[in-house]
Amino acid sequence: MASRTGVRAATKFAALIALSVTACTHRRAEEAYRDALAAYARGDLRQAAETARRNSDRMRGGPDVVSFWKFRLLEAEALTAQSRNREAETLLADPLSHRPELAQLEVRRLIDLANLPGHRRQAADLLRQARQRVADPELEIRIYLTEGSLASNDPKAADAAFHAALQKAHLQTNPYWEPLALKNLSYSSRKQNRYEEAIDYGVQALVAADKMGARRIAALARENMISAYLYLGDFDSALSNGRAAVRIFEAIGARADLATTLGELGLLYDFQDQPKQAIPQF
């Protein structure tokens, strides 16, 4: 009898140890994910991608599939922001298994696929699938932002999507989404030649992004305001915003964003009839 009691006690102790180890491992994964996500939010794209890759590799084949996919999807997002689209596409290629705990991560994968340049034709269908399944309000914001970005030929639809994203962002505790939505509204206003409005949204985005240290969003807001300031006759503000954006994009490795901003600066100098300064930007 004593022997059986001892066996049961040992079994319970081993189970408690296993649970404790699992909980500790999960806590470490959550801390690492927060670090990688914070790096992405502040614009440290290389660090975010590397941290996410290292942790997803470590967790591959393990029991914590949720953390594995969170790291994998974050790595894909950081790679996309660096225009490393083929690498991102490889990470996003396979659907997640049909498990309840992975359902919203699959929604995120669909949204991220829709954002890749090579999936523009399928983007509407990918977003339709995502919208049918979404339950996470932050993912709903992502859907609105992606819908607005893809509606380049329909300014009213783009504005409606970005305004919806901003409304949803106001309700979230995560401050990241508000400057992102404002940045997109600035871009949409600029495309419709509403330059004062573009600057108003851009300044709001810049203030909110600077407050949380989101360098890439701040730089994108500045890039949006270059031509807006130019067409309003404020060459100095256009130039200072452009130069500040270039410094950030160079530092964080955002190649496509950098190329766009250099092109904007080239047009700025050309508009001012300064070809010597314009030519190196192109």
Side-chain angles (χ1 to χ4, degrees):
M1 186 70 176
S3 177
R4 290 181 182 177
T5 303
V7 169
R8 283 198 296 269
T11 302
K12 287 181 180 179
F13 181 73
L16 287 171
I17 292 294
L19 285 172
S20 176
V21 170
T22 300
C24 184
T25 302
H26 184 71
R27 281 197 301 272
R28 285 201 301 268
E30 285 296 305
E31 290 171 4
Y33 183 77
R34 284 195 295 270
D35 288 345
L37 189 61
Y40 178 82
R42 67 177 177 261
D44 291 335
L45 302 176
R46 299 184 189 93
Q47 180 185 337
E50 175 57 27
T51 301
R53 183 199 61 76
R54 186 171 62 251
N55 281 278
S56 66
D57 285 350
R58 180 175 57 83
M59 305 186 80
R60 188 186 306 275
D64 192 353
V65 291
V66 171
S67 294
F68 166 77
W69 276 106
K70 285 172 68 175
F71 282 119
R72 188 178 178 93
L73 294 175
L74 181 57
E75 181 187 0
E77 196 170 350
L79 291 171
T80 300
Q82 297 174 75
S83 301
R84 295 163 63 181
N85 297 321
R86 289 185 180 179
E87 295 171 75
E89 187 172 14
T90 299
L91 295 175
L92 298 171
D94 298 325
L96 280 67
S97 59
H98 296 289
R99 294 170 57 170
E101 66 270 30
L102 297 177
Q104 294 307 292
L105 290 172
E106 171 62 6
V107 170
R108 180 173 167 183
R109 186 190 72 87
L110 293 169
I111 299 167
D112 290 347
L113 267 180
N115 274 301
L116 285 175
H119 288 261
R120 290 291 186 256
R121 290 183 180 180
Q122 302 98 334
D125 184 59
L126 290 167
L127 292 176
R128 179 187 57 76
Q129 294 179 55
R131 189 168 286 288
Q132 287 174 344
R133 307 177 195 179
V134 68
D136 184 334
E138 290 196 9
L139 290 178
E140 193 173 3
I141 294 172
R142 287 177 184 249
I143 292 173
Y144 278 125
L145 291 173
T146 305
E147 287 173 340
S149 298
L150 294 173
S152 57
N153 296 323
D154 190 346
K156 289 185 178 180
D159 278 352
F162 293 144
H163 276 292
L166 183 61
Q167 283 186 318
K168 293 283 184 182
H170 287 323
L171 302 175
Q172 303 307 307
T173 55
N174 186 346
Y176 177 77
W177 301 108
E178 183 176 346
L180 194 59
L182 288 165
K183 182 271 298 181
N184 279 282
L185 280 166
S186 174
Y187 174 76
S188 182
S189 297
R190 189 195 72 181
K191 284 195 67 177
Q192 297 173 73
N193 303 324
R194 302 199 303 256
Y195 299 120
E196 281 139 348
E197 185 179 87
I199 290 170
D200 182 48
Y201 281 131
V203 169
Q204 290 182 65
L206 184 59
V207 170
D210 281 343
K211 189 181 295 184
M212 63 170 294
R215 292 188 299 165
R216 182 170 179 250
I217 298 177
L220 288 167
R222 289 185 180 280
E223 188 270 324
N224 283 336
M225 292 189 286
I226 297 172
S227 59
Y229 274 120
L230 175 62
Y231 285 116
L232 292 175
D234 190 344
F235 177 81
D236 290 340
S237 292
L239 184 60
S240 65
N241 276 282
R243 286 175 171 170
V246 165
R247 286 195 295 271
I248 295 173
F249 290 143
E250 286 179 335
I252 67 177
R255 294 180 293 179
D257 298 327
L258 176 61
T260 300
T261 306
L262 288 173
E264 290 274 350
L265 282 176
L267 293 172
L268 177 63
Y269 284 119
D270 186 59
F271 191 84
Q272 291 292 110
D273 198 22
Q274 298 180 34
K276 288 184 179 180
Q277 286 83 6
I279 291 171
Q281 311 302 323
F282 293 106

